[in-house]
Amino acid sequence: MKTNPKPKARKTQKQEMEDLVALLKKWQGLEVKGIAFLNELQHKTENKVLKEVLEIIKQDSGQHRRVQQFIIDGLTKEAYTLTPEEVGEVWKELDKHDELEQATIDMAGEACRKTNSSVARYMLGYLLADEEKHHRMLTALEDVKRSLYPYGW
Ligand SMILES: [Fe+2]
Ligand SMILES: [Fe+2]
């Protein structure tokens, strides 16, 4: 006679949340470490291109650390919402802003085609990727809104 295998102890939702928070805090630690390291590096070079690249990554690391904290707060302090009332007014404006983002994507591409400078192209490539990221963020927000309110949107 077959006996059912003992079900594996599954983590509770609370444990899973605590694991995620621990992971995010560890990640924050790496961002902070990275910022300190980039700071040191910036003092070791006089090269303007390198300094600028280090500065961009440093600023991004600070931004990442802040967003990780935002996620942690949402898991531990107050659950975030995205209700129709909250987004109603602003949503149309966001759509307008997205048009602007799309225009900047075109401009970044155009600017890239207008220069042969490898440094300018390199930096423009960075800006282009960032503008595309902004556009993707707004598109993905639409999906979040839909997933929270599957009926009536
Ligand atoms: Fe990062
Ligand atoms: Fe943008």
Side-chain angles (χ1 to χ4, degrees):
M1 200 175 102
K2 264 190 188 168
T3 51
N4 284 332
K6 220 176 155 192
K8 265 192 195 158
R10 287 185 60 183
K11 282 188 179 174
T12 63
Q13 263 191 338
K14 187 168 178 281
Q15 280 169 329
E16 275 179 355
M17 186 272 280
E18 283 168 358
D19 282 357
L20 174 57
V21 170
L23 176 65
L24 287 166
K25 286 188 173 166
K26 202 171 156 190
W27 190 358
Q28 281 187 312
L30 286 191
E31 301 288 3
V32 172
K33 223 171 144 182
I35 291 169
F37 187 66
L38 292 166
N39 245 338
E40 271 177 45
L41 273 184
Q42 275 182 318
H43 289 107
K44 286 185 182 162
T45 179
E46 288 305 314
N47 182 277
K48 288 197 172 171
V49 179
L50 278 182
K51 271 187 187 290
E52 183 64 15
V53 171
L54 298 174
E55 184 63 27
I56 290 169
I57 302 177
K58 207 171 80 180
Q59 297 285 341
D60 273 358
S61 301
Q63 174 90 323
H64 294 178
R65 204 207 142 280
R66 200 184 58 76
V67 175
Q68 285 142 11
Q69 191 57 49
F70 178 80
I71 301 169
I72 292 171
D73 289 347
L75 293 166
T76 57
K77 290 183 187 160
E78 43 155 351
Y80 301 129
T81 59
L82 203 63
T83 67
E85 295 74 32
E86 285 163 333
V87 296
E89 273 299 297
V90 178
W91 202 261
K92 276 192 207 106
E93 304 300 318
L94 273 185
D95 267 348
K96 258 190 241 166
H97 182 73
D98 194 31
E99 280 172 29
L100 184 148
E101 294 289 357
Q102 292 183 58
T104 66
I105 292 170
D106 293 342
M107 281 179 199
E110 194 188 332
C112 262
R113 288 190 294 276
K114 282 187 190 303
T115 177
N116 285 324
S117 153
S118 54
V119 172
R121 290 172 70 94
Y122 170 69
M123 287 298 177
L124 285 166
Y126 154 72
L127 290 176
L128 172 62
D130 240 32
E131 300 296 14
E132 285 171 340
K133 182 180 73 185
H134 295 163
H135 171 56
R136 275 200 308 277
M137 271 196 92
L138 292 173
T139 309
L141 191 59
E142 185 88 38
D143 295 338
V144 175
K145 194 177 77 169
R146 241 185 252 123
S147 75
L148 289 176
Y149 294 94
Y151 312 110
W153 275 78

